[in-house]
Amino acid sequence: MINISETAQAHFCKLLANQEPDTNIRVFVVSPGTPSAECGVSYCPPDAVEESDTVLEFNGFDAVVDLESAPFLEEAEIDFVTDQMGSQLTLKAPNAKARKVDSDAPLAERVSYMIEAEINPQLASHGGKVTLVEITEDKEAVLQFGGGCNGCAQVDVTLKDGIEKQMLEAFSGELIAVKDATEHQAGEHSYY
């Protein structure tokens, strides 16, 4: 579920040496499955471990994950990196904002997951986002643009050269086109 690098494990062991005996770490997601999801790590004293928690054993400590956070921490990575700016703990959880779906899940679920996990993070820098409206019988994904994408002069480029290209490659044979259902109106919210 979670990969913790050897340098991060050594860092956690050093930090835990100053805590009460048998204290471990807790890895969690606040607001999992939403665009505002945030991941974190904290100390976890032995009396804070719940029966429903998943306990992952590492070298010298355990990582404890609550039931709600667990599916959103699939493929998460924790590392401890040192560079010219100093040392820092990094936590990457690609599935925190959207729960990973199985490869045999319905097409609409897989497309929605791709939108949340890959496409919306790219659009977020412009204050934009997209949602899946439907997948038609003609194998077309119909998207609704929002935020800074609504009314943006570059929306056609974003759709055709970015989103459609990514989706048709990822869902080859299952999708043949990506369409925009948005009635774009330029305004103060639009990004140029």
Side-chain angles (χ1 to χ4, degrees), residues 2-16 25 41 43 61 76-92:
I2 300 172
N3 178 32
I4 301 179
S5 71
E6 289 192 20
T7 54
Q9 289 182 50
H11 179 68
F12 283 132
C13 286
K14 196 185 305 183
L15 292 173
L16 290 166
I25 64 163
V41 178
Y43 293 117
F61 66 94
E77 296 181 14
I78 300 175
D79 197 5
F80 186 71
V81 293
T82 303
D83 58 22
Q84 308 91 312
M85 304 298 286
S87 300
Q88 71 175 355
L89 203 57
T90 63
L91 198 159
K92 294 177 186 164

Side-chain angles (χ1 to χ4, degrees), residues 26-59:
R26 178 172 291 282
V27 185
F28 57 90
V29 181
V30 177
S31 302
T34 68
S36 59
E38 292 288 333
C39 300
V41 178
S42 65
Y43 293 117
C44 183
D47 61 353
V49 179
E50 304 287 333
E51 262 186 56
S52 60
D53 286 342
T54 300
V55 178
L56 306 168
E57 294 182 18
F58 287 93
N59 188 16

Side-chain angles (χ1 to χ4, degrees), residues 16 19-24 44-47 49:
L16 290 166
Q19 299 300 311
E20 294 294 319
D22 300 321
T23 297
N24 292 298
C44 183
D47 61 353
V49 179

